[in-house]
Amino acid sequence: MTVDSSIRLLNVDDNEDDAHLLRRHLKKSELSVHFEWVDDETSFLEQLVKGDWDLIISDYSMPSFNGLRVLELVKEHRPEIPVIIMSGAVGEELAVETMRSGARDFILKNSRSRLVPAIIREITEARSRLEKRKAENALDKQHTILRLSHEAARVGSWGYDPNTQQLLCSQSMKTLCGYQDRNGNATLDDFVQIIHQEDRERFSSTLELSISEKLPFIIKHRVKTGGGKLKWFESRAHYHPEEDGEARIIGISIDITELVDGMSALRTAKEKAEESDHLKSAFLANISHELRTPLNAIIGLANLLKDDVSDELESMKWAAVIHDNGKHLLDLINDIVDSAKIESGEIKAEIQQFELPSLLEQIRDSFSTDTKLQTLEGLNLEIPPRDTKRFFVCTDHRRLRQILLNLIRNAIKFTDEGEIRFGYRVQEPEHIQFFVTDSGIGIPKEKQKIIFERFRQVDQSMSRGFQGAGLGLSISRGLTELLGGDLEVESESGKGSSFYFTLPCLATKENSIEAQRD
Ligand code: ADP
């Protein structure tokens, strides 16, 4: 055995003659040696860290330090460099001690014949150790790249041995399942246990079929991860006969949760788009109906008036119908404008102080001529009896009135018997809850959310038999929010509805500026 390239050798010896002898001995051998000599700890350490040494040959006993210290420093700074200890002193114990401390060989200075073969052996072994380490490092690197790319692609791989029932999982598979800290192999049963209950049976029978028929398979299933999350996996596997006659199922599982979620979001978006398309058509039909009905009445009756005003009583009736229809049209246009303003955030609250019971009375009185309330016997519009003390609040008078009017109009529209009550309750601290309650047709549970959206109605069909563009509640909710509250509903089909909202109104009794003045 020879060493074909030049050997870089560091010699540690306090005796220059010994160093010289060693250099000559090596020069005479078949080895090509680059020889460097140091004689104390400082220069040894300096050379050790900066040089690219293949081998260190050190004297055992030196005045300032010894072979054991050399071994210690090598272990600390360059553990890959082999060290041979050379000593003038004979002693088995010494040899054992140095070998235990990491020396690769112990040679007596007077038996140099062993030296060259020992050098060749050490250099060869060190180089093969280096090659092995390089190969191991390269393999580690490949494993790391594979694991990281698997993790990035959210893929885990596994192998199942039907004979032993053992399931060999890659680290990325364990990570995917949220069991990255679990050591050792799992059984198939362990894996089946974390599959979602509804998918378990399908997974097991697919795997069994693949084993018995030697077939590949692809299956989508859910897994409950160690962290408690539910993930969607697509597992693909195939039957793989091994050289020893045994067989394995080799597979990968891909985390497709995002894909599945994305698909379901897409499906919901599509359904929503279809629904909003449908709603758009219904809205257009409804709005054009709402506009056309009063307009037809106005044009028709105005035509009659134009041609014949002989019957004064009849003419007055027509004029009143024209007025009502004109007002209805104006209300509708106002609603559309308000709704657009709320949407664009253009409406600002104008907070002022006013007496609340008076507002309620004014509102009630404005319905005194309401035809439905007048014609339907027993249908009453009630407000709580007035307190003897005057009661002041601070909010936007006009917008509060608008909200209550909207809610009461709806209550009247959707109630044929019983009563409609509206009013307020003081809630601490400084909040007032307003309510409008009716005993009308009520609102089904599943519609109680959507009725607050623009143009939405419980019955979206043209044949519903109620007027309205579907804007009142969305405007009322927008205005309530503007005043610092939230409009809510409690209702039961056929039994009536209760709309209520709470405003931070700073309720005061008789201690307002106005009251103090009285
Ligand atoms: P509109 O009354 O013009 O249709 P709204 O936005 O005021 O529009 O109301 C939306 C829908 O909510 C109504 O069409 C009706 O279906 C339902 N709704 C509102 N208030 C009541 C109520 N008091 N009783 C029963 N249904 C109601």
Side-chain angles (χ1 to χ4, degrees):
M1 193 164 46
T2 54
V3 177
D4 40 20
S5 55
S6 168
I7 299 166
R8 294 182 54 81
L9 190 148
L10 180 61
N11 179 223
V12 195
D13 206 318
D14 61 316
N15 187 327
E16 192 173 356
D17 292 342
D18 281 357
H20 189 62
L21 273 173
L22 179 64
R23 187 200 292 256
R24 274 199 24 219
H25 181 75
L26 294 175
K27 227 177 189 170
K28 277 199 259 158
S29 76
E30 75 266 34
L31 298 174
S32 147
V33 178
H34 168 87
F35 191 94
E36 198 73 44
W37 167 65
V38 288
D39 63 353
D40 61 25
E41 183 169 341
T42 318
S43 43
F44 169 65
L45 189 59
E46 193 184 315
Q47 285 296 339
L48 177 70
V49 275
K50 81 169 188 206
D52 184 17
W53 307 111
D54 293 309
L55 180 72
I56 292 164
I57 296 180
S58 171
D59 187 10
Y60 179 77
S61 134
M62 289 167 278
S64 54
F65 77 134
N66 64 15
L68 293 180
R69 178 72 184 140
V70 167
L71 288 166
E72 217 174 272
L73 290 169
V74 172
K75 201 168 169 186
E76 189 182 334
H77 298 283
R78 305 289 300 271
E80 75 283 4
I81 306 175
V83 180
I84 294 175
I85 298 290
M86 287 196 79
S87 170
V90 193
E92 209 174 307
E93 268 176 32
L94 202 69
V96 172
E97 192 187 3
T98 51
M99 299 295 275
R100 269 208 191 119
S101 303
R104 304 285 310 176
D105 209 341
F106 181 90
I107 295 173
L108 289 173
K109 283 190 175 171
N110 57 11
S111 59
R112 285 217 167 82
S113 57
R114 272 194 58 223
L115 187 63
V116 172
I119 290 177
I120 294 173
R121 185 194 68 230
E122 283 314 315
I123 296 289
T124 315
E125 280 183 19
R127 284 183 183 168
S128 94
R129 274 200 301 275
L130 188 70
E131 286 309 311
K132 191 168 161 232
R133 207 167 37 248
K134 271 188 191 160
E136 281 171 358
N137 284 346
L139 205 64
D140 275 359
K141 231 182 212 165
Q142 269 179 17
H143 271 142
T144 310
I145 290 171
L146 199 67
R147 183 176 56 77
L148 291 177
S149 54
H150 271 191
E151 279 178 15
R154 306 217 185 142
V155 173
S157 51
W158 47 269
Y160 171 59
D161 183 340
N163 286 324
T164 62
Q165 299 260 311
Q166 288 289 303
L167 187 71
L168 202 71
C169 291
S170 69
Q171 187 55 40
S172 46
M173 183 70 189
K174 289 181 187 172
T175 308
L176 271 192
C177 296
Y179 291 101
Q180 55 272 27
D181 303 327
R182 191 169 286 186
N183 292 323
N185 291 338
T187 62
L188 180 67
D189 228 32
D190 293 332
F191 186 61
V192 171
Q193 282 313 310
I194 64 165
I195 292 180
H196 190 279
Q197 220 169 354
E198 288 167 21
D199 304 337
R200 246 176 238 167
E201 179 60 38
R202 197 165 43 90
F203 183 89
S204 299
S205 53
T206 308
L207 186 70
E208 270 167 33
L209 192 73
S210 163
I211 296 168
S212 62
E213 302 294 319
K214 305 182 172 41
L215 284 174
F217 70 85
I218 300 178
I219 183 171
K220 290 191 177 71
H221 58 93
R222 284 158 291 176
V223 159
K224 194 160 182 226
T225 66
K229 255 169 86 181
L230 204 62
K231 281 185 182 174
W232 270 100
F233 278 13
E234 180 176 291
S235 292
R236 295 162 169 256
H238 71 118
Y239 183 87
H240 180 74
E242 306 264 317
E243 276 164 11
D244 55 9
E246 302 288 333
R248 269 177 193 275
I249 302 288
I250 305 288
I252 56 159
S253 293
I254 311 163
D255 179 355
I256 54 164
T257 316
E258 275 179 14
L259 196 75
V260 173
D261 288 353
M263 292 291 284
S264 109
L266 218 62
R267 212 171 303 126
T268 316
K270 183 174 162 266
E271 282 165 12
K272 245 191 164 162
E274 280 168 1
E275 192 195 14
S276 83
D277 202 39
H278 167 74
L279 280 174
K280 206 168 68 189
S281 314
F283 155 69
L284 284 174
N286 186 22
I287 279 286
S288 65
H289 172 80
E290 288 293 314
L291 288 170
R292 229 174 304 168
T293 313
L295 264 180
N296 278 339
I298 291 167
I299 294 168
L301 292 174
N303 239 344
L304 285 177
L305 272 180
K306 184 178 75 169
D307 295 341
D308 180 9
V309 284
S310 52
D311 186 336
E312 203 177 319
L313 203 67
E314 199 71 357
S315 301
M316 275 168 68
K317 258 201 246 164
W318 292 346
V321 178
I322 289 175
H323 171 267
D324 287 352
N325 279 287
K327 196 176 162 304
H328 182 72
L329 261 186
L330 189 64
D331 286 347
L332 179 61
I333 289 163
N334 280 340
D335 273 0
I336 292 173
V337 172
D338 272 355
S339 174
K341 278 187 180 166
I342 289 172
E343 186 86 339
S344 63
E346 248 180 79
I347 292 190
K348 299 274 172 284
E350 287 169 21
I351 307 294
Q352 78 234 62
Q353 184 172 271
F354 57 91
E355 218 258 333
L356 187 58
S358 303
L359 172 67
L360 263 62
E361 283 160 8
Q362 274 168 27
I363 291 176
R364 185 197 48 199
D365 295 347
S366 71
F367 286 98
S368 61
T369 54
D370 185 276
T371 16
K372 189 168 176 187
L373 284 178
Q374 280 174 345
T375 44
L376 282 178
E377 231 174 85
L379 182 63
N380 294 316
L381 185 58
E382 299 272 335
I383 52 171
R386 211 185 214 290
D387 200 320
T388 45
K389 287 177 181 171
R390 306 213 304 152
F391 183 57
F392 290 86
V393 293
C394 263
T395 187
D396 187 324
H397 178 276
R398 180 170 153 234
R399 296 303 178 188
L400 176 61
R401 183 170 185 276
Q402 189 178 354
I403 300 166
L404 289 169
L405 284 175
N406 270 345
L407 297 177
I408 296 166
R409 273 191 210 117
N410 273 348
I412 296 175
K413 186 160 58 172
F414 296 105
T415 308
D416 285 341
E417 55 186 0
E419 60 167 14
I420 297 159
R421 283 182 301 113
F422 73 104
Y424 62 88
R425 302 176 191 104
V426 178
Q427 290 190 331
E428 296 305 327
E430 299 172 352
H431 279 68
I432 298 179
Q433 187 185 61
F434 294 88
F435 62 87
V436 177
T437 301
D438 65 57
S439 53
I441 61 170
I443 302 157
K445 277 261 162 317
E446 70 280 6
K447 302 279 182 179
Q448 288 178 11
K449 222 171 145 181
I450 58 131
I451 53 166
F452 291 102
E453 292 172 21
R454 291 204 293 174
F455 309 118
R456 301 299 297 268
Q457 292 161 322
V458 169
D459 181 358
Q460 212 73 48
S461 71
M462 294 298 299
S463 55
R464 66 182 183 276
F466 296 109
Q467 278 192 338
L471 284 171
L473 285 184
S474 76
I475 292 174
S476 301
R477 174 168 271 184
L479 292 177
T480 317
E481 283 169 6
L482 181 77
L483 303 185
D486 192 13
L487 181 58
E488 287 173 276
V489 65
E490 270 173 15
S491 179
E492 205 176 317
S493 268
K495 294 207 169 156
S497 312
S498 236
F499 286 86
Y500 53 93
F501 56 99
T502 303
L503 300 183
C505 278
L506 188 77
T508 53
K509 276 190 182 178
E510 285 213 335
N511 60 351
S512 73
I513 307 161
E514 202 176 322
Q516 281 160 13
R517 233 191 288 132
D518 284 352

